[in-house]
Amino acid sequence: MKNNELYKYQNIADIAVIPTIIEEAAPLACVENMAAGLPIIITNSGGMPEYAGKKCSIIVEKDANLQYSLAKQIKDLIENKDKRKAMGRYAELEATNYSITNMYNEFYKTLKLKVEKNNEVNKDKA
């Protein structure tokens, strides 16, 4: 599968499962699947729990029971269509927080506050 064809699979999927065990700071896979309107099952790894939120994701621990926890949660979502649909709707909504415009605006605000703080510090030193 090529990365530029991933959307085809997301469009036919009912659930996204991202069982990473690495500590990735900003996992784009979460946001991509949320934007596709998919409920996600993720491991408690890196920034995924922060990005996904509790209303559109199920978070499982990276422990000795990981494979069983994943299977249990996948089965639960397969059997519970209403829950799956509700989580998918919320995921799509939540993903808008990570649009290019929102990310740019948040980055700009952060930089502006940093510059203002530096200016205040420099005034105090003068």
Side-chain angles (χ1 to χ4, degrees):
M1 172 180 63
K2 296 178 182 175
N3 281 343
N4 64 348
E5 294 180 352
L6 182 60
Y7 74 94
K8 293 176 183 177
Y9 297 94
Q10 289 170 321
N11 286 335
I12 60 171
D14 292 322
I15 303 165
V17 181
I18 310 169
T20 188
I21 56 172
I22 60 170
E23 297 296 323
E24 185 177 352
L28 191 54
C30 280
V31 178
E32 290 171 339
N33 284 292
M34 289 163 51
L38 296 175
I40 55 178
I41 300 171
I42 58 175
T43 48
N44 192 5
S45 297
M48 285 196 300
E50 291 176 48
Y51 276 79
K54 294 183 181 185
K55 291 185 179 179
C56 63
S57 69
I58 296 171
I59 303 169
V60 297
E61 292 301 321
K62 301 180 299 183
D63 57 19
N65 296 316
L66 177 59
Q67 63 193 21
Y68 303 107
S69 298
L70 287 170
K72 179 182 176 199
Q73 298 305 330
I74 292 168
K75 184 176 187 278
D76 178 59
L77 283 181
I78 288 171
E79 293 174 350
N80 193 336
K81 183 178 181 179
D82 292 338
K83 179 179 180 180
R84 196 172 64 238
K85 294 288 184 187
M87 287 175 69
R89 284 190 299 273
Y90 188 79
E92 200 168 357
L93 244 163
E94 187 70 18
T96 63
N97 291 325
Y98 304 104
S99 69
I100 292 171
T101 302
N102 283 348
M103 296 300 282
Y104 169 81
N105 289 336
E106 290 302 314
F107 183 66
Y108 177 79
K109 281 193 259 182
T110 301
L111 289 178
K112 185 176 177 187
L113 287 172
K114 180 71 173 160
V115 168
E116 289 170 358
K117 184 176 178 181
N118 285 342
N119 287 341
E120 289 175 19
V121 169
N122 290 335
K123 282 182 189 177
D124 291 343
K125 289 181 180 178

